[in-house]
Amino acid sequence: MRRQTGVQLLLVGAVGALVLAADHFLFHWVLLTESMLRRVLF
Amino acid sequence: MDALRGTIDDIFYGAIIVPLGLALILFQLVVLVVAVRRRRRGRPLRSLRLHAIAGLSILPLPVLIGFSVHAARATMLAAFTASEDVFASEKAMALSHGMAGQMSAFPFATSTIVVSLALWSIGLATTLSASQPEGRARSFPPVALIPIGLAPLALGVVNWSARLIKTFAAMAGVPPQDKGTILEGTLEIARGELTAYARVSMIAIPVLTLAAGVLTVMRARGGAPASDATAAAGRSWRLPLLASAAAVVVAGLLVLEARPIAAENALPWPPNRGNLLVYPNGPATPDLIGPDPMSFMPVVEQFRDHVMLDRAPLQDLGDLEERLTTLRNNYQLLHPGGDSADVALILVDAATPSARLTALMRAVRGAWFYRPTFGFTKTEHHDRPVIGNLERVIVTGAQIKLEYTDDEPDADDAGAWKDAVELRLKDFADYDAFARRLVELRRAGKPVVVKVPRSAG
């Protein structure tokens, strides 16, 4: 039972890390369009 | 319907993505209706297979959107690096299509994915919360809480796109020289807002992760019935362990992939000093920065051995005077009663002797362009992490009043130009020496008059 909970907690932590990384990536990926626009203005 | 057709046209691969997105929402709705009706009849779905299929069916949409945005950006990058042989209108079309592709893809993708996920979650919750034959209800695995932390970012992306689309729409009546400033202002505000939304997500995700951890422990301690996922995990600890490893690997890949993009976004863009000259490889003008503003005007280029007007090669200075006169006449026909066209941008090779400069200015004055601006070009090079190597020619100017030596004094001579300093071209060995004195005077705020003889004799 304890091992099961430990594994579940590990999964929670890993998914947390994945979602945080996705947040970081998506923010910059969307914002890259701003650079494309600034390149047009350049 | 027109808006939908517009979205299909704007988004790259829109003919696949838009119908798929709409079909996805419809499919989630059908699954939700099935789950609700089965539960009402007291025969809830035993297996979660239908919900699993519905959940997995959402996955292709973000992948396709990724390809679509990538294609839109590749189109723009190709237009940026296109050779001079490609027509400017073709480049402008490619840039406009690429930008519209991104600006339409983001809100469509975000709203479609969020709506699909919401419908899917409600359907799944309906089935899970129904009592099983043994009398116990199943529940969501706590780990499902964590992705909710992305909701603020999703909202931010929709808000960011909407702000930019509104600015583009309002740009129609704005004078061309003001468009850049307005767009830059909007970009600053929009970035600030998107950053704020992303920050909320960045805080929400660890908080939700912590909450999911606490819930997991509480359920284990309380001996609460395991969720389906937990039950499956109970049978084998290998699956969650493998899922954890996969999640960590994907997280690492995402961080690595984001590094150059984040560096690109963090690197400030150089300010727009002066106007952008559309023609590269112009004459080697003196190394100066002029203080005077410029607007759109005809561009006269005096090279060592030839002269050009708006990049068209000319036979001689007589040809220049004739074509400038035609431009002026055309302008006045198109703007009856408006301001007269008396401004032209003059780019001259620094080593041009003063005799040639005098002949050039005589042709300019002959066509009644008596408020010319001498332009000074500088080529800037920038290396950016994603966009790559950039080069641009910036032009700044110094304006003069150009007269024939025998011109009658006009109203300006008693007004704004009363204290004007007169420069005689023959006093300078070449254009470089003249330009240095001109910029010095203009920087000191002095108006400058240049007089040229009406005839070459």
Side-chain angles (χ1 to χ4, degrees), chain B residues 238-292:
Chain B
R238 281 194 186 90
L239 188 65
L241 211 58
L242 277 174
S244 304
V248 169
V249 168
V250 176
L253 287 175
L254 283 174
V255 170
L256 280 179
E257 197 68 21
R259 278 182 75 173
I261 307 176
E264 171 67 50
N265 292 335
L267 188 67
W269 281 79
N272 277 320
R273 285 178 286 110
N275 286 30
L276 174 65
L277 181 66
V278 287
Y279 308 126
N281 308 319
T285 60
D287 185 18
L288 292 165
I289 293 177
D292 293 331

Side-chain angles (χ1 to χ4, degrees), chain B residues 126-177:
Chain B
T126 306
T127 299
L128 285 176
S129 60
S131 295
Q132 292 295 290
E134 63 270 26
R136 292 191 309 193
R138 294 172 292 187
S139 59
F140 253 91
V143 75
L145 273 177
I146 304 169
I148 296 170
L150 286 174
L153 179 69
L155 204 63
V157 169
V158 173
N159 172 68
W160 179 84
S161 312
R163 185 176 274 283
L164 287 184
I165 289 168
K166 266 188 219 161
T167 306
F168 286 138
M171 209 70 106
V174 174
Q177 65 269 26

Side-chain angles (χ1 to χ4, degrees), chain B residues 192-430:
Chain B
E193 289 175 351
L194 182 61
T195 307
Y197 279 106
R199 253 183 219 144
V200 176
S201 273
M202 219 166 70
I203 296 165
I205 294 163
V207 169
L208 287 166
T209 305
L210 202 67
V214 171
L215 270 176
T216 304
V217 173
M218 279 169 63
R219 283 188 186 179
R221 280 196 183 156
S227 68
D228 259 31
T230 322
R235 286 191 291 275
S236 161
W237 53 268
R238 281 194 186 90
L239 188 65
L241 211 58
L242 277 174
S244 304
V248 169
V249 168
V250 176
L253 287 175
L254 283 174
V255 170
L256 280 179
E257 197 68 21
R259 278 182 75 173
I261 307 176
E264 171 67 50
N265 292 335
L267 188 67
W269 281 79
N272 277 320
R273 285 178 286 110
N275 286 30
L276 174 65
L277 181 66
V278 287
Y279 308 126
N281 308 319
T285 60
D287 185 18
L288 292 165
I289 293 177
D292 293 331
M294 279 173 294
S295 56
F296 285 86
M297 51 178 103
V299 181
V300 176
E301 291 173 284
Q302 172 66 62
F303 293 82
R304 291 263 164 114
D305 52 358
H306 66 288
V307 64
M308 294 177 107
L309 172 61
D310 290 337
R311 268 302 147 111
L314 304 175
Q315 288 169 1
D316 51 29
L317 292 178
D319 194 13
L320 171 67
E321 185 173 336
E322 203 174 301
R323 292 198 192 206
L324 274 175
T325 305
T326 307
L327 273 183
R328 184 184 153 83
N329 290 342
N330 288 348
Y331 182 89
Q332 283 179 333
L333 280 172
L334 291 169
H335 303 84
D339 291 339
S340 60
D342 52 13
V343 290
L345 180 62
I346 317 288
L347 302 173
V348 183
D349 188 289
T352 304
S354 66
R356 174 68 183 182
L357 186 61
T358 304
L360 176 75
M361 297 321 287
R362 186 183 298 120
V364 173
R365 172 61 187 85
W368 291 92
F369 282 85
Y370 55 90
R371 291 279 193 280
T373 296
F374 286 100
F376 309 105
T377 56
K378 278 197 189 300
T379 305
E380 290 182 356
H381 298 274
H382 299 277
D383 190 18
R384 299 192 64 87
V386 174
I387 308 272
N389 286 314
L390 303 177
E391 187 183 293
R392 71 173 172 184
V393 183
I394 292 290
V395 58
T396 57
Q399 195 178 36
I400 60 161
K401 185 181 181 196
L402 180 62
E403 293 179 350
Y404 283 141
T405 42
D406 58 355
D407 269 346
E408 294 292 322
D410 60 20
D412 279 352
D413 290 325
W417 297 78
K418 200 173 76 166
D419 300 322
V421 177
E422 185 183 336
L423 291 183
R424 288 181 300 182
L425 296 176
K426 65 177 181 184
D427 292 345
F428 300 93
D430 56 15

Side-chain angles (χ1 to χ4, degrees), chain A, chain B residues 69 73 76 80 99 102 106 143 146 150 153 160 188 191 195 198 201 205 209 213 216 220 233-234 237 240-241 244 250-251 257-258 261-262 264-265 269-270 276 382 390 392:
Chain A
M1 188 68 183
R2 191 172 287 175
R3 189 168 70 177
Q4 262 183 45
T5 310
V7 169
Q8 287 301 309
L9 281 175
L10 190 68
L11 182 66
V12 165
V15 170
L18 174 63
V19 176
L20 206 57
D23 173 64
H24 174 70
F25 174 80
L26 287 172
F27 167 71
H28 284 294
W29 186 70
V30 169
L31 206 57
L32 187 59
T33 294
E34 183 192 315
S35 272
M36 307 297 283
L37 252 175
R38 286 191 186 271
R39 173 65 183 84
V40 176
L41 298 175
F42 180 77
Chain B
V69 171
R73 286 173 176 167
M76 290 187 79
F80 292 142
M99 193 44 68
Q102 292 170 69
F106 291 135
V143 75
I146 304 169
L150 286 174
L153 179 69
W160 179 84
E188 283 301 317
R191 175 191 275 245
T195 307
S201 273
I205 294 163
T209 305
T216 304
W237 53 268
L241 211 58
S244 304
V250 176
E257 197 68 21
I261 307 176
E264 171 67 50
N265 292 335
W269 281 79
L276 174 65
H382 299 277
L390 303 177
R392 71 173 172 184

